[in-house]
Amino acid sequence: MSDVAGLIRAHIRDMSAYQPVYPFEIVARQLGRDPQEIVKLNANENPYGSHPAVLEALRNLEYAHIYPDPECRLLREALADRLDLPLDNLLVGAGADELIDLIMRLFLDPGDVMLNCPPTFGMYAFDAGVNDAHLVEVPRKADFSLDQPGIERAVAKYEPKLIFLASPNNPDGGVLPGDVLNSILELPLVVVVDEAYVQFADPGSSRLRDALDHQNLIVLQTFSKWAGLAGMRVGYGVFPQELMPCLWKIKQPYNVSVLRRSSPCAGACMRFWKKSLSCGPIPRRRISFYVESLAARRRN
């Protein structure tokens, strides 16, 4: 056969590729520098690294030769205990990125509409492209806040199934106000709140528990930022109970590796939780000042 490429799905062939960032060893090789000389800021990774207790748990890993628990019970139990949430509403993925894609697969047929509010995390648009969704963008205002009337008009005009909202938003760090989220939850679509950075926001900023009370709210978090485990790829979400049976159907059976779901590693991460977050306030204030300066320049 001479034209295998002609069999590729047209929307995959035509979509733009995601532009990833490279790890220390690749950047060091490209620059001809020692990795210890590089301060890496282009992926918002935790500059403090992983906690020694987590690394020790990984060194003593058992059962690497056995397929992991498809339900990731040990990690889900640790999360349920730490977050005071029902085990049955928790799903763990290979990073929150996998859960983002899983949600789109759950809801979107080819051509279905999804809303996006740029500038924001690039994976929402990327995964919409992979899933052949019709992406409708409602740009944020000059101060990076949501254009709530624009979202309402887009919902009335396009009848989208999904909207993804990062809180704190990437790149500006703004937290989604509660009254704005509550208003959007009144609209006829599924709202996914991505809280990858919420542990660095003010206490009470998370909406995890609200997913138990709203049939159209999903809240995602990750170990990549606060736990310094971006390389491990482990995220989790709180989902309405009505969605869980179908999510279990469509997720890959062994999606979370034995490295990430081991009991010692899960326990070490939970113990590290509070200590890690204590490092956040001062850097957050510095970054907030810088972002506010950028926003002021943009307004002018």
Side-chain angles (χ1 to χ4, degrees):
M1 185 173 180
S2 59
D3 187 22
V4 175
L7 301 179
I8 296 173
R9 297 161 70 190
H11 77 279
I12 298 290
R13 187 172 57 245
D14 297 339
M15 68 178 286
S16 299
Y18 187 78
Q19 297 298 315
V21 297
Y22 295 105
F24 276 116
E25 62 271 23
I26 302 302
V27 174
R29 184 189 304 171
Q30 291 173 339
L31 298 177
R33 306 292 294 268
D34 189 310
Q36 299 301 319
E37 298 176 350
I38 297 172
V39 177
K40 191 169 180 295
L41 301 174
N42 60 344
N44 293 336
E45 291 134 327
N46 192 321
Y48 303 104
S50 306
H51 192 271
V54 177
L55 300 178
E56 182 64 22
L58 294 175
R59 278 192 289 269
N60 295 322
L61 180 70
E62 295 181 313
Y63 308 123
H65 61 297
I66 301 296
Y67 285 113
D69 175 12
E71 296 184 17
C72 206
R73 290 176 183 87
L74 296 176
L75 182 52
R76 287 172 56 235
E77 288 170 0
L79 284 166
D81 181 66
R82 178 64 183 80
L83 300 169
D84 191 26
L85 290 167
L87 180 70
D88 291 342
N89 292 82
L90 285 164
L91 191 69
V92 176
D97 289 351
E98 184 194 21
L99 298 178
I100 291 167
D101 179 64
L102 202 66
I103 291 164
M104 293 190 195
R105 284 195 255 167
L106 183 67
F107 287 106
L108 298 176
D109 286 316
D112 280 346
V113 176
M114 188 190 99
L115 295 188
N116 192 36
C117 299
T120 192
F121 185 35
M123 287 299 293
Y124 310 144
F126 172 77
D127 279 325
V130 171
N131 286 278
D132 199 16
H134 176 197
L135 187 68
V136 173
E137 295 192 333
V138 182
R140 291 172 181 265
K141 295 187 283 188
D143 63 356
F144 297 102
S145 64
L146 291 176
D147 178 2
Q148 190 176 343
I151 291 172
E152 293 171 356
R153 288 192 297 270
V155 170
K157 180 176 180 179
Y158 297 103
E159 299 182 350
K161 287 186 174 181
L162 288 172
I163 184 171
F164 281 80
L165 300 171
S167 179
N169 187 47
N170 175 356
D172 61 280
V175 174
L176 182 61
D179 59 333
V180 174
L181 177 58
N182 291 337
S183 295
I184 294 172
L185 285 169
E186 295 296 321
L187 301 173
L189 79 170
V190 175
V191 180
V192 184
V193 176
D194 182 356
E195 295 187 338
Y197 301 94
V198 77
Q199 289 84 7
F200 301 98
D202 292 332
S205 297
S206 175
R207 302 300 296 262
L208 269 180
R209 298 198 63 82
D210 292 355
L212 305 178
D213 301 321
H214 295 273
Q215 290 185 324
N216 64 330
L217 176 62
I218 297 167
V219 183
L220 307 178
Q221 293 188 4
T222 179
F223 283 80
S224 293
K225 309 303 180 182
W226 69 265
L229 293 175
M232 293 285 289
R233 312 305 305 127
V234 57
Y236 51 95
V238 180
F239 295 80
Q241 187 58 48
E242 294 87 343
L243 302 182
M244 295 303 292
C246 287
L247 285 164
W248 285 116
K249 284 181 189 178
I250 66 173
K251 85 165 191 69
Q252 293 292 326
Y254 306 118
N255 61 323
V256 178
S257 79
V258 68
L259 289 172
R260 291 169 281 185
R261 64 91 181 137
S262 71
S263 180
C265 186
C269 283
M270 296 305 110
R271 292 192 300 273
F272 179 39
W273 191 297
K274 186 174 291 187
K275 182 175 181 179
S276 174
L277 301 191
S278 68
C279 299
I282 293 176
R284 187 176 77 239
R285 287 196 292 270
R286 291 174 181 162
I287 293 170
S288 295
F289 175 78
Y290 179 66
V291 170
E292 288 167 5
S293 299
L294 286 178
R297 278 190 234 165
R298 186 175 175 182
R299 286 193 296 270
N300 296 331

